[in-house]
Amino acid sequence: MKPKVEHNTIVQPFSVGWDPNDGIMDDPDNHIERFLSKIKGMFLDVDAADAYLTEQGDVKVYEVYEKTIPQRDGEIQFCSSITHPGQIGGEYFMTKGHFHARRDTAEIYYCLRGRGYMMMELESGEYVMEEMYPGRTVYVPAFYAHRSINVGDEALISLAVYPGDAGHDYGSIETAGFKHLVVEKNGKPDVIVNPRFGKVE
Ligand code: PAN
Ligand code: ZN
């Protein structure tokens, strides 16, 4: 059987409005919202997450606005990534993070608002963290899992751009976690080693 050729769907040129102050895209195809109740397991202190939910209710930890682009080589995916400010047991609000399903694909994040870090980790647990603040661009090389971490007191807003066929592998992070976590210590961000890293639950 001949392989299915997907190149018969041609994307029409388009433009889209996107407000750098709040990261909201005018006419998105997808608006992904991640609430604490659904992702509390990614925080180290799940009891603190439960206490937060009881005391302050469910909150949006982060959200993404995007247009639907065919997932194929040659196209480019882009989205508005918004991580809200907050902490759970001293650990800053952050995205779930992922490897790209196609591991040999990179990504850039152009930060427009807020203050934070991009945590980038290889499967081995080796890591590099780059600062994010307005005007700063982070290059996430191929093979690095990546997550945005908001260490400020306003939303951390970035434009993320990556190859059309990169895809997302969340499973590896959900089972093994990131080896390095960022927590507040003496009022400043500090990196700790995740005691649960690599322990499949
Ligand atoms: C970004 C992320 C976005 C949300 O567009 O998807 O910041 O983070 P999670 O995907 O980890 O939930 C990206 O890195 N795309 O490849
Ligand atoms: Zn990515």
Side-chain angles (χ1 to χ4, degrees):
M1 230 172 50
K2 276 192 186 166
K4 190 168 164 271
V5 179
E6 225 196 80
H7 289 258
N8 52 2
T9 46
I10 292 175
V11 181
Q12 291 300 314
F14 69 92
S15 62
V16 62
W18 179 54
D19 187 339
N21 292 309
D22 57 16
I24 297 175
M25 203 181 262
D26 284 348
D27 185 24
D29 293 323
N30 298 315
H31 179 203
I32 301 159
E33 299 175 284
R34 301 284 185 216
F35 284 90
L36 180 59
S37 59
K38 297 278 162 40
I39 56 172
K40 63 181 185 179
M42 76 178 182
F43 290 100
L44 188 55
D45 190 345
V46 180
D47 291 341
D50 283 330
Y52 189 111
L53 286 165
T54 307
E55 286 156 24
Q56 303 189 50
D58 210 356
V59 288
K60 218 188 282 181
V61 177
Y62 69 97
E63 55 196 307
V64 171
Y65 289 88
E66 62 188 8
K67 300 296 282 183
T68 301
I69 309 286
Q71 295 205 4
R72 64 186 183 215
D73 186 23
E75 303 289 354
I76 293 173
Q77 308 286 343
F78 71 99
C79 73
S80 167
S81 174
I82 305 164
T83 308
H84 294 285
Q87 285 183 12
I88 297 294
E91 197 177 1
Y92 298 101
F93 276 15
M94 59 192 171
T95 59
K96 285 202 278 191
H98 57 266
F99 287 97
H100 287 161
R102 215 189 111 183
R103 292 288 202 273
D104 60 344
T105 53
E107 180 159 355
I108 58 166
Y109 279 73
Y110 179 61
C111 181
L112 284 127
R113 187 157 189 185
R115 210 165 62 82
Y117 289 93
M118 180 63 67
M119 171 61 76
M120 293 170 274
E121 251 188 31
L122 292 170
E123 251 163 38
S124 60
E126 266 176 80
Y127 81 106
V128 178
M129 240 167 58
E130 287 293 331
E131 264 191 89
M132 300 174 82
Y133 51 84
R136 197 91 188 144
T137 301
V138 177
Y139 186 81
V140 180
F143 301 103
Y144 278 84
H146 43 285
R147 113 176 330 159
S148 309
I149 302 167
N150 185 345
V151 304
D153 48 20
E154 62 176 352
L156 176 65
I157 301 172
S158 304
L159 168 71
V161 182
Y162 55 104
D165 59 346
H168 295 107
D169 167 12
Y170 292 102
S172 308
I173 296 300
E174 275 161 19
T175 48
F178 273 79
K179 183 169 180 183
H180 298 91
L181 305 174
V182 180
V183 297
E184 187 179 82
K185 194 176 163 192
N186 302 326
K188 282 199 274 190
D190 190 41
V191 177
I192 60 165
V193 173
N194 179 1
R196 295 209 307 252
F197 178 65
K199 294 187 183 136
V200 178
E201 287 170 16

